[in-house]
């Protein structure tokens, strides 16, 4: 355990969560980890069935230090998680390609967060319905109130999984080109090429009823905006700043 | 085993790789799987150490039906993979947010590929040097010839991991809004909001030697282009169309 383990607003640092490679890039405070999580809609979840690892992409969201995701009740992953399965949920934002003057220093700038915990299924129907409403509003503020309400059958057919973050680490690289000192004099092109995930212009459903307007709650979803910034905004609008 | 298992240009369909949820979205042919892999720079890799799953993002590349990735020789993941570790490597492209008329039908359009295999470390120095050169050129065609050559120390400090794809599946959703028939008459906004990962204008290193031009091999990397399209182009330029 390092000192970080005793910080009140940090996740404990353990052998499982400690950033070992380039450890100066590692952070364990809630603010750093949550900022990376809240900027994303999709995470990759690693879990094990009979010794075989699986890596599944899924939409997820955070409330406090708890993570949620969902899927069909028929999903293999979620079935396996029923008894309480160890899980590693990872979010990665690719921020730039880094072209250096030698192969070794080629890199990317990125922000990633790894969260460890034990997944549990939310069985209680009311808790499940509340979580599914929260999921919609987390991504699209205020939207749930405008939708046709979920049926009991729809709620039953959906499995919601929750996981308290037991340990987590954030890893960030943002320095662009970093070459060996003697290599800067070489006549070789080097650059940082930014990469962003952006939203395009919304394409209304062709069967939209006449006169239905673009909802006020979606005003952040405008063409050309960065998805990570919109996701953080939506999270704050719905859950407030924690 | 399904019929797909007997197709020459398909990966075998097994209990491990079969797409169980919404199985009509599943494909196992090389063309479908490779198209998703080659459009990406970053994958998420699931592996198990002492029963604990980890999910690590990493740059990777494909040659034929073999995948490669690399990292520091000190990396926990790569150390654990030394004896030949079962791995699931997953690539996901988020293509759109899908806002339906009820919560249940909210979704995303996406392309994902899951690849199963056993990771092995490439120990031979020449094979390792060749793989590292291929990695640079896979992402940035022709670039390796322009770089300061790797030193023996740099090659030694890098671990390269390879994995034959034993089984793989692709899962694609691209239908946009899909509501219950009776819900289309409701006065509720519904839309597909496209999401793309785009390249920004290259930012040359501030210490670039005067007169060094933007390399011909990077001509595909222009501001506003989709990263997935550039990645496919680079792969084809370097390895040809397979």
């Amino acid at each position: 355990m390092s000192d970080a383990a005793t910080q009140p607003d940090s996740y404990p640092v353990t052998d499982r969560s400690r950033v070992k490679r380039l450890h100066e890039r590692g952070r364990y405070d809630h603010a750093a980890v949550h900022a990376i999580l809240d900027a994303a809609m999709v995470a990759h979840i690693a879990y094990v069935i009979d010794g075989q690892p699986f890596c599944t992409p899924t939409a997820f969201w955070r409330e406090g230090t708890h993570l949620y995701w969902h899927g069909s009740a028929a999903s293999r992953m979620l079935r396996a998680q029923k008894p309480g399965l160890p899980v590693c949920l990872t979010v990665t934002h690719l921020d730039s390609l880094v072209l250096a003057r030698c192969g070794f220093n080629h890199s990317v700038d990125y922000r990633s967060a790894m969260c460890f915990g034990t997944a549990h299924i939310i069985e209680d129907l009311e808790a499940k319905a509340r979580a599914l409403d929260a999921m919609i509003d987390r991504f699209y503020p205020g939207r749930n109130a405008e939708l046709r309400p979920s049926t009991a059958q729809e709620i039953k057919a959906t499995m919601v999984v929750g996981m308290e973050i037991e340990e987590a680490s954030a890893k960030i690289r943002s320095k662009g080109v970093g070459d060996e000192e003697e290599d800067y004099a070489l006549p070789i092109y080097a650059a940082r090429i930014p990469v962003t995930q952006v939203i395009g212009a919304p394409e209304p459903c062709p069967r939209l009823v006449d006169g239905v307007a673009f909802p006020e709650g979606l005003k952040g979803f405008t063409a050309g905006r960065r998805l990570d910034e919109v996701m953080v905004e939506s999270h704050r609008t719905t859950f407030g700043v924690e």
Side-chain angles (χ1 to χ4, degrees), chain A:
Chain A
M1 293 276 181
S2 82
D3 289 348
T6 62
Q7 302 297 318
D9 292 328
S10 283
Y11 291 106
V13 183
T14 67
D15 275 350
R16 182 167 70 169
S17 69
R18 184 179 292 112
V19 173
K20 292 178 183 63
R21 185 176 169 229
L22 302 175
H23 57 83
E24 71 281 6
R25 292 183 192 162
R27 287 180 61 181
Y28 306 90
D29 52 302
H30 287 187
V33 172
H34 296 176
I36 292 167
L37 297 175
D38 297 349
M41 171 178 269
V42 174
H44 285 78
I45 298 184
Y47 55 99
V48 191
I49 302 176
D50 296 336
Q52 171 67 49
F54 291 86
C55 182
T56 301
T58 187
F60 81 103
W61 73 104
R62 177 185 73 85
E63 295 184 38
T65 56
H66 215 77
L67 301 177
Y68 294 90
W69 59 96
H70 87 311
S72 153
S75 152
R76 161 177 54 191
M77 171 180 82
L78 296 172
R79 252 195 339 255
Q81 280 161 353
K82 203 157 184 173
L85 199 73
V87 158
C88 175
L89 180 150
T90 297
V91 164
T92 306
H93 303 279
L94 178 63
D95 289 329
S96 75
L97 317 178
V98 175
L99 292 85
R101 292 166 178 83
C102 67
F104 190 73
N105 285 325
H106 276 64
S107 188
V108 294
D109 283 342
Y110 64 93
R111 294 160 286 150
S112 73
M114 288 176 81
C115 302
F116 298 94
T118 306
H120 63 272
I121 289 183
I122 296 171
E123 307 274 13
D124 180 75
L125 279 184
E126 274 189 45
K128 200 202 276 196
R130 189 211 62 80
L132 289 171
D133 287 356
M135 178 185 196
I136 296 290
D137 284 342
R138 177 269 176 268
F139 294 121
Y140 312 115
R143 181 153 180 79
N144 195 62
E146 296 167 348
L147 298 176
R148 187 263 289 154
S150 296
T151 65
Q153 196 176 10
E154 286 171 343
I155 295 170
K156 203 172 157 192
T158 309
M159 206 174 267
V160 179
V161 181
M163 179 184 105
E164 179 67 14
I165 304 176
E166 295 165 9
E167 294 153 35
S169 61
K171 203 169 164 188
I172 298 171
R173 187 194 194 275
S174 62
K175 71 174 185 177
V177 177
D179 264 313
E180 308 307 314
E181 190 52 40
E182 61 272 24
D183 287 346
Y184 284 101
L186 297 173
I188 298 171
Y189 183 80
R192 175 183 176 274
I193 302 180
V195 174
T196 46
Q197 207 170 22
V198 297
I199 288 172
E203 300 167 1
C205 174
R207 296 178 66 181
L208 207 60
V209 170
D210 281 350
V212 172
F214 189 76
E216 175 69 13
L218 298 179
K219 66 178 189 294
F221 291 78
T222 54
R225 286 205 67 198
R226 292 173 61 126
L227 180 64
D228 57 358
E229 292 178 359
V230 175
M231 286 292 104
V232 167
E233 268 180 25
S234 292
H235 193 275
R236 288 183 180 165
T237 301
T238 298
F239 294 127
V241 179
E242 299 157 359

